[in-house]
Amino acid sequence: MCKYLSQFGSYWPTRVTPPARYNTAHDPALSVEFAQDGKSLCAILQKENTVALFQVAKQESGYELKHISNAVDFLPGAALKKAKISVQFQSGVQSGAFLYHEYSNHTVVLSDLRGNHELNRFSAAAGTSGKTLLSPCSKFILGFGDSAEIRGWAVIFKSGSYASTKKLHSLCGHKSHVSQAAFFPDSSKLISLSDASGFKIHDFNSADWQRDDTPREVECFPNQWGLVDSIQISPDSLVLTLVQHSSIKFISLRTKVLLLEIKDIFNAAIKSAEFSPDSELVAVAGDRCVRIFKNLAGLVAKAHESKANLMSPNCNETYKNRLLEELKSDQKKINELQKLLSA
């Protein structure tokens, strides 16, 4: 598998734009996160235990990274684990924004975008197994891992200004500790996993959680693939990935079948796995290395989706022709990739 992927040199640009740089004065930057519009980013500085905020400015010669400010260390007694520039939208218009801080003791701090003024803080989870999750739409924060329930909070803005953080009714239904959870890319659904109950999917479109109407469970299926370290959903919502130590399994969200497994990617455990925004690539980090794989499973899942849509009674002639063209194109890519795999 790795041999086949190493042949995809054509995916890399032949001319690289000079990189934008910023010297953090020997303070290790633990992670970086872009804002949704790509015009700014934040980085966690280990020694200062804070967030450095940058503006990404495009110049004729490339890009410039302008340092805006460093946020306050809101919790000196705990290590900062995650930070994100979070933006909410309503009907395509920005309705609110805040800086999200997540600490090692599962305390969540919300601040203004410059990180100077604290808006709210709360403990989202507990214990060594506790985990915290921010929805892609930046409206919901979840805490789980220490019990069979998934706790939720809504970050509420009114007229563009922060109003409150509301504790929501918990999502229940699992019979043992919830070990994993992930939002669908559009925040419309949540998939969660526990040892006793397997996978459950809650539909956020079916209810107004913020107004005490709890999202309902719409699907449940067993975990037949073993212990899972983390889960991710592709941006096109077709594929569920299961990270298992140094391997990744790709599951079709429609058919719940194993599409592909990449074994022994590293000698040690995988630290992180992320899809590219177009779902075509998967980046995997671990063992002091980053590897990028072509998402063959996504092509197969997309082909399955097209075939299912072709069978729909609502498929008119125009849509049918478009699906057939897409299916033909996807099948050609699959055949080419499989040929490389067997080479």
Side-chain angles (χ1 to χ4, degrees):
M1 186 67 180
C2 293
K3 177 184 176 183
Y4 136 67
L5 289 163
S6 67
Q7 298 180 43
F8 273 84
S10 60
Y11 278 89
W12 297 101
T14 55
R15 184 179 177 185
V16 179
T17 302
R21 299 174 183 268
Y22 180 82
N23 190 335
T24 59
H26 305 291
D27 193 346
L30 299 181
S31 66
V32 291
E33 287 270 0
F34 272 101
Q36 287 158 296
D37 60 5
K39 295 180 180 179
S40 57
L41 62 82
C42 63
I44 294 178
L45 302 182
Q46 184 179 34
K47 292 180 181 178
E48 290 191 25
N49 198 44
T50 188
V51 185
L53 299 162
F54 302 90
Q55 180 184 5
V56 182
K58 191 172 184 179
Q59 309 290 341
E60 287 187 8
S61 59
Y63 289 88
E64 183 182 1
L65 206 55
K66 295 181 178 179
H67 180 244
I68 301 171
S69 64
N70 282 5
V72 173
D73 180 4
F74 291 104
L75 199 61
L80 185 61
K81 285 178 55 183
K82 185 177 178 62
K84 186 174 179 62
I85 299 169
S86 306
V87 182
Q88 295 184 9
F89 290 91
Q90 189 72 36
S91 302
V93 179
Q94 182 176 317
S95 57
F98 60 94
L99 189 59
Y100 173 87
H101 313 248
E102 179 189 326
Y103 290 87
S104 57
N105 63 355
H106 312 303
T107 296
V108 170
V109 176
L110 310 181
S111 76
D112 68 309
L113 283 178
R114 286 186 173 270
N116 295 327
H117 174 62
E118 180 178 324
L119 303 175
N120 200 354
R121 73 168 63 194
F122 55 91
S123 179
T128 56
S129 61
K131 297 179 181 179
T132 306
L133 183 65
L134 174 68
S135 66
C137 66
S138 299
K139 293 181 180 179
F140 301 111
I141 298 169
L142 305 183
F144 61 95
D146 53 348
S147 70
E149 68 175 357
I150 300 174
R151 295 176 294 279
W153 290 262
V155 183
I156 301 171
F157 282 82
K158 292 182 179 179
S159 302
S161 299
Y162 172 78
S164 64
T165 302
K166 180 181 179 181
K167 179 71 171 69
L168 305 170
H169 292 309
S170 295
L171 301 180
C172 301
H174 283 283
K175 296 177 181 178
S176 61
H177 286 199
V178 177
S179 58
Q180 306 294 337
F183 277 98
F184 278 58
D186 60 358
S187 300
S188 64
K189 295 178 182 177
L190 176 80
I191 186 168
S192 54
L193 170 66
S194 70
D195 291 341
S197 306
F199 290 95
K200 290 183 181 292
I201 296 179
H202 285 83
D203 184 7
F204 281 57
N205 286 335
S206 66
D208 190 345
W209 201 11
Q210 190 172 306
R211 296 187 178 181
D212 300 326
D213 188 8
T214 307
R216 62 187 178 89
E217 181 186 320
V218 293
E219 196 172 353
C220 179
F221 57 97
N223 175 20
Q224 52 189 307
W225 303 287
L227 294 176
V228 177
D229 297 327
S230 66
I231 62 176
Q232 298 81 25
I233 294 177
S234 61
D236 57 16
S237 299
L238 295 178
V239 175
L240 168 68
T241 61
L242 311 178
V243 173
Q244 298 174 307
H245 190 61
S246 61
S247 302
I248 298 182
K249 288 177 180 173
F250 296 78
I251 313 298
S252 167
L253 276 169
R254 172 185 278 272
T255 62
K256 312 300 184 295
V257 299
L258 177 65
L259 299 171
L260 180 70
E261 180 177 6
I262 309 176
K263 295 182 178 180
D264 303 323
I265 297 174
F266 303 120
N267 292 326
I270 293 169
K271 298 293 185 183
S272 176
E274 295 289 339
F275 283 95
S276 61
D278 59 7
S279 299
E280 290 203 2
L281 302 173
V282 181
V284 185
D287 200 17
R288 296 178 295 176
C289 180
V290 176
R291 291 182 176 176
I292 296 178
F293 297 87
K294 183 70 177 175
N295 182 17
L296 175 59
L299 287 172
V300 175
K302 187 180 175 185
H304 288 174
E305 193 81 6
S306 296
K307 289 177 182 177
N309 289 333
L310 280 170
M311 302 299 291
S312 170
N314 298 322
C315 184
N316 59 41
E317 197 64 29
T318 303
Y319 185 42
K320 182 178 180 180
N321 290 335
R322 196 184 85 190
L323 286 174
L324 287 171
E325 285 298 317
E326 290 179 358
L327 192 58
K328 184 178 178 181
S329 174
D330 290 340
Q331 193 61 55
K332 183 179 179 181
K333 291 177 184 177
I334 291 169
N335 293 340
E336 290 173 352
L337 293 173
Q338 287 178 332
K339 190 181 294 183
L340 281 171
L341 270 172
S342 59

